[in-house]
């Protein structure tokens, strides 16, 4: 017969446990941690719901904290130094929906206090994919292939798709 410790939480979690077990003698214990097993971790660490400014400028702006935590952190020291001094570096981006490789420049925009992917953002993503206001896109770093993956995570059905001017 196995011994069960009445003072131990039996949930499997690595996060905060919301367990409120009743112990012997009617005492309740609120645990600060749990061992609940999480089987899924969303790979899309960089998510953005597109606004008009993302669709009519030649860049995709990223908030400073987001860019430093999730883009700069995966680049090598030389690339971080280049971006930090105002230069830009080429970043390969694999569109997993269309299975096509693209290249954008990642750059620090001191004036805006943020970072941006610049270059062919409009042609390679907005027009080619027909992005529109309210669409949610995602990016995540692929450490094995050393590039970012891109996907349209959710489309805004209420808005008109952007079409390249030459196709109107």
């Amino acid at each position: 017969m196995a011994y069960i410790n009445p003072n131990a939480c039996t949930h499997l979690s690595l996060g905060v446990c919301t367990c409120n077990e009743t112990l012997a003698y009617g005492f309740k214990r609120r645990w600060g941690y749990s061992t609940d097993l999480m089987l899924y971790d969303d790979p899309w660490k960089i998510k953005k719901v597109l606004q008009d400014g993302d669709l009519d400028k030649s860049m995709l702006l990223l908030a400073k904290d987001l860019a430093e935590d999730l883009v700069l952190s995966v680049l090598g020291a030389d690339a971080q130094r280049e971006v930090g001094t105002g230069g830009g570096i080429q970043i390969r981006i694999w569109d997993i929906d269309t299975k096509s490789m693209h290249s954008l420049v990642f750059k620090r925009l001191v004036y805006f206090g943020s970072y941006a992917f610049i270059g062919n953002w409009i042609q390679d993503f907005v027009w080619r994919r027909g992005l529109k206001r309210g669409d949610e896109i995602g990016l995540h770093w692929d450490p094995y292939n050393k590039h970012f993956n891109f996907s349209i995570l959710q489309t805004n059905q209420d808005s008109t798709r952007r079409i390249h001017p030459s196709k109107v």
Side-chain angles (χ1 to χ4, degrees):
M1 183 166 137
Y3 172 73
I4 298 174
N5 183 347
N7 296 319
C9 178
T10 58
H11 294 103
L12 294 174
S13 174
L14 298 176
V16 175
C17 178
T18 58
C19 178
N20 205 3
E21 292 183 8
T22 302
L23 302 174
Y25 310 109
F27 290 102
K28 288 192 173 208
R29 176 171 292 184
R30 178 131 174 95
W31 298 92
Y33 296 95
S34 171
T35 54
D36 283 340
L37 180 61
M38 183 173 71
L39 297 177
Y40 176 74
D41 182 27
D42 188 357
W44 302 104
K45 304 299 182 195
I46 302 172
K47 293 182 180 181
K48 185 165 187 182
V49 175
L50 299 175
Q51 303 301 317
D52 289 332
D54 300 314
L55 303 169
D56 58 12
K57 293 185 174 57
S58 61
M59 68 181 90
L60 175 65
L61 283 173
L62 294 179
K64 181 178 186 262
D65 294 342
L66 185 72
E68 289 175 349
D69 292 346
L70 300 173
V71 179
L72 279 177
S73 65
V74 299
L75 303 177
D78 291 339
Q80 289 177 4
R81 193 171 20 265
E82 182 67 26
V83 172
T85 59
I89 58 161
Q90 287 287 123
I91 301 283
R92 295 181 320 135
I93 301 176
W94 175 252
D95 185 332
I96 66 167
D97 302 326
T98 62
K99 297 181 178 26
S100 57
M101 184 64 75
H102 304 274
S103 181
L104 295 174
V105 174
F106 181 69
K107 186 174 176 77
R108 181 172 170 236
L109 304 175
V110 178
Y111 179 77
F112 289 105
S114 61
Y115 293 81
F117 285 106
I118 63 173
N120 291 330
W121 163 249
I122 296 293
Q123 297 88 340
D124 287 357
F125 293 92
V126 175
W127 290 340
R128 185 181 64 85
R129 294 302 307 276
L131 297 176
K132 60 186 182 340
R133 184 177 199 266
D135 286 350
E136 182 180 28
I137 61 165
L139 290 161
H140 74 88
W141 179 248
D142 179 339
Y144 302 105
N145 294 306
K146 306 268 190 238
H147 64 241
F148 278 92
N149 289 330
F150 169 91
S151 182
I152 299 174
L153 304 178
Q154 188 169 343
T155 59
N156 179 1
Q157 303 299 332
D158 300 333
S159 191
T160 306
R161 290 254 170 237
R162 296 230 176 208
I163 300 171
H164 189 282
S166 67
K167 295 182 181 178
V168 177

